[in-house]
Amino acid sequence: MNKVLLEKDGNVAIITINNPKALNALSTEVLEDLDAAVNDVKNDDDIYAVIVTGAGDKSFVAGADIAEMKDKNVEEAAKYGAFGNKVFREIETLNKPVIAAVNGFALGGGNELAMSCDIRLAADNAVFGQPEVGLGITPGFGGTQRLARLIPVGLAKEIIYTARNIKAPKALEIGLVNAVYPHEELMPAALKMAKGIAKNAPKAVAASKKAINDGLNETIDEGIQTEVEQFSGCFATEDQKYGMDCFLNKVKDKQFKNK
């Protein structure tokens, strides 16, 4: 992987888009490397939480690679969009929670990448937007679908139709991000949150993620049934027995085994 870095800090994986000269733009090479990193994390039983961020101080991901996209025909654009969506869906449905540490520009594909993560934390210099209509296209990596699910539909339409960017405080106000930090505090905050998540039973966290994600596309009755299935499935794990024994015996320093 030349354009994506994968590091580990205990049970936390840190995926860094490493294309700073292009403001971490999502070229096909970057997407392929991101796909490989996500699959590495998926198959690593020692990783319980993931952080995605961008290299440098200016940009999380400034968007897709316009120079690469410019001359595509309809079929090539469809293939490119399908691959980007595949990678982002892998992140969205990953069996581990993913935190986006948005350290600058998150435009177009960058905002779409952030939205595919479970939680978004932003630096105070972060800027969000979907500028695609100003380039003669629509969002292509899930922007029209996720943005309207995360914030009020009218606001999502305004952001997409006007192609105007919003700064971190506004993103926090409308619920696009969970919190805003001074730039130098962003990664420590993301790592603290990821390590806090990683202290809990990994299979229970994964089951909770699946129940939430699946339930959003179901009726309330279907969603409750999904929750019951995920809840009851936890009782087949060693971590459930261990966690409840720790509670009953007042053991505070738990060490779950992801089993």
Side-chain angles (χ1 to χ4, degrees):
M1 294 182 290
N2 296 316
K3 298 294 186 181
V4 171
L5 305 177
L6 176 57
E7 305 167 272
K8 298 175 185 178
D9 186 337
N11 297 117
V12 175
I14 303 170
I15 296 174
T16 304
I17 311 300
N18 188 34
N19 192 24
K21 289 184 179 179
L23 296 178
N24 301 321
L26 294 173
S27 63
T28 297
E29 182 181 7
V30 171
L31 286 170
E32 288 172 346
D33 284 358
L34 180 58
D35 187 38
V38 171
N39 276 287
D40 282 351
V41 167
K42 180 179 180 179
N43 295 315
D44 190 336
D45 290 339
D46 293 326
I47 294 300
Y48 301 167
V50 184
I51 297 170
V52 176
T53 193
D57 297 328
K58 295 181 179 180
S59 183
F60 174 70
V61 168
D65 190 323
I66 305 302
E68 181 183 336
M69 283 198 296
K70 178 179 177 294
D71 295 321
K72 290 186 183 298
N73 60 32
V74 172
E75 291 75 18
E76 291 166 340
K79 184 178 179 181
Y80 179 63
F83 181 57
N85 273 297
K86 168 189 172 291
V87 176
F88 289 6
R89 277 293 284 164
E90 287 173 351
I91 293 170
E92 190 168 44
T93 60
L94 188 66
N95 59 343
K96 309 162 199 266
V98 185
I99 299 168
V102 183
N103 56 313
F105 293 114
L107 306 176
N111 192 44
E112 290 167 315
L113 172 58
M115 291 191 295
S116 73
C117 299
D118 296 288
I119 296 166
R120 284 156 294 284
L121 306 180
D124 52 10
N125 70 326
V127 178
F128 300 83
Q130 298 291 160
E132 288 88 351
V133 297
L135 301 171
I137 58 174
T138 72
F141 293 164
T144 61
Q145 302 307 302
R146 292 191 181 93
L147 190 59
R149 285 169 165 81
L150 287 170
I151 66 174
V153 173
L155 286 175
K157 290 179 176 180
E158 178 183 342
I159 288 169
I160 292 172
Y161 297 171
T162 65
R164 289 200 299 262
N165 298 337
I166 61 172
K167 295 182 180 180
K170 182 66 174 179
L172 179 62
E173 179 186 328
I174 65 177
L176 182 57
V177 302
N178 295 57
V180 176
Y181 299 92
H183 192 279
E184 65 276 9
E185 296 178 16
L186 174 63
M187 281 305 294
L191 194 56
K192 181 179 179 181
M193 180 180 287
K195 288 188 173 184
I197 291 170
K199 289 181 179 179
N200 296 310
K203 290 186 181 298
V205 174
S208 297
K209 175 172 178 174
K210 182 169 176 57
I212 293 169
N213 285 354
D214 289 359
L216 287 172
N217 296 310
E218 298 172 332
T219 67
I220 184 65
D221 290 327
E222 292 167 338
I224 287 171
Q225 182 57 39
T226 295
E227 182 178 282
V228 169
E229 291 168 2
Q230 296 302 316
F231 165 73
S232 59
C234 291
F235 285 77
T237 68
E238 292 181 21
D239 281 347
Q240 174 266 324
K241 305 293 189 292
Y242 170 74
M244 291 191 174
D245 282 343
C246 286
F247 176 83
L248 293 173
N249 292 299
K250 296 181 171 57
V251 176
K252 293 184 178 180
D253 186 19
K254 299 187 289 290
Q255 299 290 331
F256 289 105
K257 297 181 180 179
N258 197 19
K259 292 182 180 180

